[in-house]
Amino acid sequence: MPKDSGIGASSKRREDVRFLTGAGNYTDDINVNGQAYVHFLRSDIAHGTINKIDTSAAAAMPGVIKIFTAEDFAAVGGVPCGWQVTDKHGNPMQEPKHPVLAEGKVRYVGEMIAGVVAETAEQARDAAEAIELDIAELPAVVDMKAAVQDGAPKVHDDLPSNLCYDWGFVEENKGAVDEAIANAAHVTTLELVNNRLVANPMEPRVAIGDFARGTGDSTLYTTSQNPHVIRLLMGAFVLGIPEHKLRVIAPDVGGGFGTKIFHYAEEAFVTFAAKAINRAVKWTSSRSEAFISDAHGRDHVTKIDLALDADNNFTAIRTETYANMGAYLSTFAPSVPTWLHGTLMAGNYKTPVIYVNVKAVFTNTVPVDAYRGAGRPEATYQLERLIDKAARELGVDPIALRRQNFVTEFPYETPVAVAYDTGDYNATMDTLEQIADLSGFEARLAESKAKGKLRGLGVNCYIEACGIAPSNLVGQLGARAGLYESATVRVNATGGLVVMTGSHSHGQGHETAFPQVIAEMIGIDESMVEIVHGDTANTPMGMGTYGSRSLAVGGSAMVRATEKIINKTKKIAAHLLEAAEADIELKDGQFSVAGTDKSVAWGDVTLAAYVPHNYPLEDIEPGLEETAFYDPSNFTYPAGAYACEVEVDPDTGKVTIERFSAADDFGNVVNPMIVSGQVHGGIAQGVGQALLEGVVYDENGQLLSASYMDYAMPRADDLPFYAVDHSNGTPCTHNPLGVKGCGEAGAIGSPPAVVNAVVDALQRNGSNVTHIDMPLSPSRVWDAMNS
């Protein structure tokens, strides 16, 4: 029977009441008394030298308070990068300065040149249009391979080239990999593109800077996934504000998908400008601005080789990837194609040796950083497309080839420096075959044929690393921050709890799932637990939410803090019950003495903590509040198997997804309904990448897909009903909840399933097509069928 409450129950999301009734409090809903507004003048060319900025006419326009240019930020630091990668020769990456406002040059369409602060947003926009610019346009470079050729235009004049780093991993494996491929019975090679994407969260970015002259305190309200990280990066490295004088508040956030992790120049600008004019300054991005200012995602070009022996066992994998960094290094950009990508190239398979080479390249485009999955989708896509191609070349069943090469014994040390603690990939595949009704595919194939449609089936597997940690390891790999999480649990006198967490919720359902965990531990109703997040003044220092880490890391911190609470309340209960502490048990909100009928309620004990009349204060101090920081000992490793069935219209090339099934191993599941919702959303984004979405630049660096007129987002009628299952979880062995993370799985597992299905449909119709790059638009599919 399904549970009604606690861990494993599909409790309804309590936060949805305010979201569905219009009572949410988003950053744009916040208005500070006397605030001004800023509009940014952004570059409309991709590369050029700024000869002159004439603001005189604009400054004289109605309502204009002040116009800021790079000169005003001369004493300010650049926007920092949070991860340093070392190349295969042991040299640090090239790391150019990222100014708040363009200094001397513009390097991509959308870069901020000036900020006009005025009484109204309309006045600021009008004045920005009156600024006279003299910019000498320079040749732009957009193509990554062209950017690293001799004589290519340099994005940064002070760097020797456009190559950020040339990373090799594991470098000592390279010789063995090359030898295995040279001596293999069969080698499959595939060249592919992982298309550039715009995250497009429902809520655009917003930032409000405020300054209190009386105290010297600055406050930033922002649409962020990790307010403490923004406070650290912006305060310490950009504006030089001590952390105790800077407060960052991220209220309700309408989706992030990675793009709201990063510290952006607009945040630093409004904080700086508010102090400069002694008034709050507000900026709300338009959707058009978002396309040219939010960090983009993906954008890899890869060649990958798979070597197999005569028995079809995988013997080696070799990849060479060009990864686009854009014009500047965003907060975590260097880590995405390296440590979040290269370490997952083993996938679910026991390949003995693997070598990954990544060349990160600067181009005259918007900076690129993490997007839902961040490196893991890129690794899964190339590996699972390659395995499907190998199966077709060898004439074997794609599922059987995967099963033959699955890792089956755990823990398993991969050749790319990670250790899988648990998993059962055969069980997950068994579940997939059942929920996808693969045995009924031939009948559905015949039905499609009768309608004149081509039907195809695509299957793939994935594994990802979540809860990125431990801090000492990632520090050695270049992280410039810890990756722990924190929680403070405060128990009120009447027994209710307030949990203050460094994790941040922007759609994950934290306000529902976290109380389920704590309520189960104590045996009280979930409604007695309140979650506080998003305000650096009211929460302990934490690293925020990304990489499916909230429950595995943030939830574990809550467990540790709650354990401290329980230990203290047991001490108090022992005094109240005149028993030994070791004999006290807590169940269903009652403390009892083992083997007796003596008990005292949770609320009575918590009241005693604040009214300490019945226990010695020399042994137990009053109050009931505990804090814990949790730093994992290893990543967690969710895994799964996905199946997609498509119909292709042979006359137009249009692809319709008829069925989609997902079997996932997320370890223990706290709220099955929320988990299913996360998988549904991830699949929608993965389908969007596979069939519809794609950023397009022309050779001059102009963004051609800069609005929803040209950038296709998935709609409801592009998606089928999903069959999802997460019942075969193998609990994580190294966190107290046994959870693995679920937020990115759908976006990781779905793109290769869709592409595999389309290629299968075409090949079943006699086509020799082996690959089509995403997005698989009707024109691309039609061209492939008819080429």
Side-chain angles (χ1 to χ4, degrees):
M1 290 289 292
K3 291 184 66 177
D4 295 327
S5 63
I7 295 174
S10 290
S11 301
K12 291 183 178 180
R13 290 176 24 132
R14 63 171 73 172
E15 49 268 70
D16 286 351
V17 174
R18 70 176 186 273
F19 295 151
L20 294 173
T21 59
N25 183 38
Y26 297 91
T27 308
D28 192 54
D29 294 324
I30 297 170
N31 291 292
V32 180
N33 187 42
Q35 72 187 13
Y37 298 81
V38 63
H39 184 87
F40 294 110
L41 176 65
R42 299 180 183 272
S43 176
D44 60 1
I45 65 171
H47 197 198
T49 301
I50 302 173
N51 294 323
K52 184 180 179 181
I53 305 175
D54 186 349
T55 63
S56 56
M61 292 182 67
V64 174
I65 300 169
K66 184 174 176 61
I67 299 176
F68 293 84
T69 63
E71 293 179 0
D72 296 288
F73 286 81
V76 167
V79 178
C81 178
W83 202 297
Q84 182 185 68
V85 166
T86 301
D87 72 11
K88 63 184 182 182
H89 305 295
N91 300 316
M93 66 188 187
Q94 295 198 89
E95 190 172 357
K97 181 182 179 182
H98 183 179
V100 175
L101 296 177
E103 295 178 352
K105 282 182 71 174
V106 291
R107 295 179 172 87
Y108 66 93
V109 172
E111 183 168 8
M112 299 190 305
I113 298 171
V116 179
V117 179
E119 298 290 347
T120 70
E122 293 77 15
Q123 289 172 330
R125 182 174 61 247
D126 290 344
E129 293 176 355
I131 295 175
E132 295 183 12
L133 289 178
D134 179 5
I135 298 181
E137 189 167 1
L138 299 170
V141 61
V142 174
D143 180 85
M144 288 181 280
K145 292 184 178 180
V148 294
Q149 298 300 312
D150 292 339
K154 288 170 63 175
V155 179
H156 297 275
D157 296 331
D158 55 335
L159 300 184
S161 73
N162 292 322
L163 184 66
C164 178
Y165 56 76
D166 186 354
W167 186 75
F169 185 74
V170 175
E171 192 63 32
E172 52 265 32
N173 286 355
K174 188 175 187 304
V177 169
D178 291 344
E179 181 178 359
I181 291 173
N183 297 324
H186 182 86
V187 176
T188 294
T189 299
L190 182 62
E191 296 187 36
L192 47 77
V193 173
N194 206 295
N195 41 323
R196 181 185 277 233
L197 304 172
V198 178
N200 283 311
M202 186 178 295
E203 175 202 30
R205 289 190 297 118
V206 184
I208 307 169
D210 194 15
F211 179 71
R213 177 174 288 181
T215 62
D217 293 342
S218 294
T219 301
L220 171 68
Y221 303 87
T222 184
T223 46
S224 175
Q225 299 176 215
N226 44 3
H228 282 281
V229 174
I230 302 305
R231 183 180 67 165
L232 175 64
L233 293 177
M234 186 181 76
F237 298 102
V238 184
L239 301 181
I241 303 173
E243 285 181 274
H244 67 284
K245 305 300 288 182
L246 175 60
R247 179 182 184 183
V248 178
I249 301 172
D252 289 331
V253 172
F257 312 124
T259 199
K260 292 177 182 173
I261 297 172
F262 324 120
H263 172 42
Y264 286 95
E266 293 91 348
E267 295 168 322
F269 180 95
V270 297
T271 307
F272 179 89
K275 182 177 181 179
I277 69 169
N278 195 32
R279 287 177 62 178
V281 177
K282 182 174 186 176
W283 169 72
T284 299
S285 173
S286 67
R287 187 61 65 182
S288 295
E289 274 186 294
F291 272 93
I292 57 174
S293 64
D294 290 3
H296 291 177
R298 312 288 194 252
D299 206 354
H300 288 189
V301 176
T302 296
K303 179 182 178 182
I304 180 169
D305 302 299
L306 171 65
L308 302 94
D309 65 18
D311 296 319
N312 295 340
N313 297 307
F314 301 167
T315 60
I317 293 171
R318 179 176 62 199
T319 80
E320 180 182 16
T321 291
Y322 288 82
N324 204 331
M325 296 288 101
Y328 298 101
L329 292 178
S330 181
T331 305
F332 292 120
S335 68
V336 174
T338 51
W339 300 112
L340 299 183
H341 160 253
T343 54
L344 273 298
M345 281 312 305
N348 307 64
Y349 312 104
K350 53 182 187 289
T351 309
V353 286
I354 298 171
Y355 179 70
V356 181
N357 175 245
V358 177
K359 295 176 176 65
V361 182
F362 292 113
T363 62
N364 293 116
T365 62
V366 172
V368 179
D369 209 318
Y371 171 69
R372 197 169 189 169
R376 284 69 60 90
E378 294 90 322
T380 298
Y381 181 67
Q382 56 186 279
L383 182 60
E384 292 297 319
R385 283 293 300 120
L386 183 70
I387 292 171
D388 230 53
K389 185 170 185 278
R392 296 179 190 284
E393 291 175 353
L394 294 166
V396 299
D397 178 69
I399 293 177
L401 182 62
R402 287 175 168 86
R403 285 185 182 272
Q404 176 180 337
N405 287 280
F406 276 161
V407 173
T408 55
E409 297 182 3
F410 296 88
Y412 176 74
E413 295 275 351
T414 76
V416 279
V418 294
Y420 305 159
D421 59 336
T422 59
D424 190 339
Y425 308 145
N426 276 304
T428 306
M429 184 63 80
D430 290 343
T431 300
L432 177 72
E433 292 196 37
Q434 179 181 358
I435 66 173
D437 184 26
L438 296 192
S439 62
F441 174 74
E442 292 299 327
R444 295 189 292 275
L445 177 67
E447 292 174 3
S448 295
K449 186 175 182 180
K451 296 188 297 182
K453 301 294 178 64
L454 314 181
R455 197 176 191 100
L457 169 65
V459 173
N460 70 277
C461 301
Y462 78 89
I463 189 167
E464 61 167 323
C466 299
I468 307 301
S471 294
N472 62 349
L473 171 62
V474 296
Q476 296 171 33
L477 303 182
R480 289 166 169 167
L483 290 176
Y484 53 84
E485 199 45 81
S486 61
T488 295
V489 177
R490 176 182 299 157
V491 185
N492 298 318
T494 54
L497 294 88
V498 177
V499 181
M500 293 150 279
T501 174
S503 298
H504 185 277
S505 183
H506 42 277
Q508 290 82 359
H510 291 175
E511 294 172 36
T512 302
F514 287 158
Q516 289 180 248
V517 172
I518 295 170
E520 171 114 340
M521 293 178 69
I522 299 171
I524 58 177
D525 192 89
E526 297 164 15
S527 64
M528 294 178 67
V529 184
E530 190 77 15
I531 303 298
V532 175
H533 64 91
D535 185 342
T536 60
N538 296 328
T539 56
M541 175 71 177
M543 294 295 105
T545 295
Y546 44 84
S548 303
R549 74 191 303 269
S550 294
L551 193 58
V553 188
S556 294
M558 292 180 195
V559 169
R560 294 298 185 227
T562 304
E563 288 172 343
K564 293 180 182 180
I565 292 288
I566 291 172
N567 289 337
K568 183 173 181 178
T569 53
K570 282 185 175 181
K571 291 179 185 290
I572 298 172
H575 283 282
L576 297 179
L577 295 170
E578 299 179 334
E581 183 184 335
D583 292 333
I584 299 298
E585 299 175 344
L586 173 61
K587 183 179 180 182
D588 297 331
Q590 293 282 328
F591 294 91
S592 60
V593 180
T596 76
D597 60 357
K598 296 173 64 177
S599 67
V600 62
W602 167 260
D604 293 332
V605 174
T606 61
L607 181 62
Y610 290 94
V611 186
H613 294 166
N614 298 308
Y615 59 86
L617 295 178
E618 63 270 19
D619 294 336
I620 309 171
E621 65 182 25
L624 206 49
E625 181 173 319
E626 298 288 350
T627 295
F629 287 78
Y630 180 80
D631 200 336
S633 61
N634 190 7
F635 304 158
T636 64
Y637 299 97
Y642 285 15
C644 176
E645 289 185 30
V646 300
E647 279 189 346
V648 180
D649 187 329
D651 296 326
T652 66
K654 178 175 173 54
V655 175
T656 302
I657 297 179
E658 294 295 319
R659 298 168 66 95
F660 200 103
S661 305
D664 296 288
D665 175 358
F666 295 136
N668 293 333
V669 171
V670 170
N671 187 309
M673 179 184 67
I674 288 178
V675 168
S676 293
Q678 287 284 315
V679 174
H680 288 185
I683 293 172
Q685 287 184 288
V687 168
Q689 177 175 14
L691 296 183
L692 300 161
E693 300 181 52
V695 170
V696 179
Y697 280 95
D698 71 9
E699 66 276 9
N700 298 314
Q702 292 294 330
L703 183 61
L704 302 182
S705 52
S707 76
Y708 291 144
M709 295 295 290
D710 302 295
Y711 187 96
M713 295 284 286
R715 302 184 182 191
D717 61 357
D718 293 312
L719 305 168
F721 287 99
Y722 310 119
V724 300
D725 184 279
H726 34 75
S727 62
N728 287 321
T730 57
C732 174
T733 59
H734 54 78
N735 69 54
L737 289 168
V739 298
K740 296 184 177 182
C742 68
E744 298 161 304
I748 295 170
S750 51
V754 174
V755 178
N756 288 348
V758 174
V759 172
D760 180 65
L762 301 191
Q763 291 196 352
R764 287 176 185 273
N765 195 49
S767 172
N768 61 1
V769 171
T770 59
H771 180 69
I772 308 172
D773 277 326
M774 301 184 291
L776 274 63
S777 61
S779 61
R780 285 189 176 184
V781 175
W782 192 91
D783 285 344
M785 286 191 295
N786 292 279
S787 62

